[in-house]
Amino acid sequence: MGPRQGWFRLAVRPLPALRAGLLALCGAVMAATSFAQDAGPAPRKDAAPPEPTSAGATPRDSFRNCDEQAFLVLNIARNYMMTDRNRDAVMPYLKDDAAAKKLAEEVMDRIDAGTARHPGQEAAEALFQCAAEHRMTVGAPRQQVALCFTRTDIAFFLHVERSKHVVRQNAVHNVSTRLTSRALYPAPLIEQVATAVYAPAELPDLRRLMGIMAWACIRERPQAASAASG
């Protein structure tokens, strides 16, 4: 079974506990608790302490850095693909961050070369690479992590809909029409994320929403393992 075939085999198998985890998503968004306290790659018990990224850095700092790196790659890849590979639409957001610009060039080059098929896969690669550098474990198979990052598209597009003052029912319809693969984007999941986007009085923070959604999915290790081997 090739990697692309395996990707869709995982995608069509639901992650049952993910639905339960997302029932609390709205409350988690409104509670304003720190994402770093709730989720992220965990240090291996048999590993030496991670190398500090700066003076006084902790394992929590390391996984926060990896989380930020993965979402930076996710957003670079998504924006580049959504703008018909327009580099000028990506680079200004990185301002004077030389490291981020270098990373963006690498991501966009891979997309142009056809080696990156979806932003979620790029984000997963970035997360695993960063975790390995810090001697940490992600805690889920690579295909599952890619799927989890892919599904943050739901939060992204629903957030756009609410920011344009589209009512929830129409927003769900619009996003469901845009994200047509029910294997990748199950209808119940779209409804659940819509609750997290529309229930708060104010538009929730998109980055936080995507982070909670991604890590709730990544944590579903038993179901993912079954899907990958079933």
Side-chain angles (χ1 to χ4, degrees):
M1 180 174 62
R4 185 175 180 83
Q5 192 176 11
W7 164 256
F8 283 101
R9 185 174 183 182
L10 174 59
V12 299
R13 292 286 299 275
L15 303 178
L18 174 58
R19 293 196 293 271
L22 281 170
L23 292 177
L25 182 58
C26 177
V29 171
M30 293 186 288
T33 57
S34 170
F35 169 68
Q37 294 176 347
D38 297 333
R44 291 204 313 264
K45 294 181 179 179
D46 60 345
E51 293 293 332
T53 54
S54 60
T58 66
R60 190 176 298 275
D61 294 328
S62 295
F63 87 65
R64 186 190 294 273
N65 289 338
C66 291
D67 170 74
E68 291 176 353
Q69 184 90 341
F71 273 96
L72 175 60
V73 168
L74 180 70
N75 290 325
I76 288 170
R78 178 188 281 125
N79 290 343
Y80 188 51
M81 290 180 174
M82 285 179 57
T83 57
D84 295 324
R85 302 186 182 185
N86 181 0
R87 297 192 179 218
D88 291 336
V90 175
M91 301 306 282
Y93 290 99
L94 306 178
K95 299 182 179 180
D96 297 325
D97 190 332
K101 287 184 175 180
K102 181 177 182 295
L103 178 63
E105 292 287 356
E106 294 171 353
V107 171
M108 293 186 291
D109 285 347
R110 287 194 293 273
I111 292 172
D112 290 343
T115 58
R117 296 189 301 272
H118 194 281
Q121 293 171 313
E122 282 293 290
E125 290 298 321
L127 182 63
F128 274 87
Q129 179 178 342
C130 181
E133 291 171 355
H134 291 285
R135 296 200 290 269
M136 304 176 79
T137 181
V138 175
R142 193 178 300 259
Q143 287 184 340
Q144 179 187 340
V145 174
L147 173 63
C148 294
F149 279 120
T150 295
R151 286 181 169 171
T152 64
D153 288 347
I154 298 172
F156 177 84
F157 287 115
L158 283 169
H159 194 276
V160 169
E161 292 290 318
R162 183 176 174 184
S163 71
K164 295 190 296 186
H165 307 290
V166 178
V167 298
R168 172 177 168 165
Q169 182 177 359
N170 291 343
V172 169
H173 171 76
N174 293 344
V175 172
S176 298
T177 301
R178 180 165 192 156
L179 304 178
T180 57
S181 172
R182 296 285 74 86
L184 292 175
Y185 309 105
L189 183 59
I190 295 175
E191 289 286 354
Q192 288 158 6
V193 178
T195 299
V197 173
Y198 277 84
E202 302 292 334
L203 187 67
D205 179 76
L206 177 59
R207 170 63 179 87
R208 180 176 177 74
L209 183 68
M210 291 170 63
I212 294 172
M213 182 180 178
W215 283 106
C217 174
I218 291 170
R219 283 177 162 178
E220 301 306 316
R221 288 172 290 183
Q223 291 80 9
S226 174
S229 60

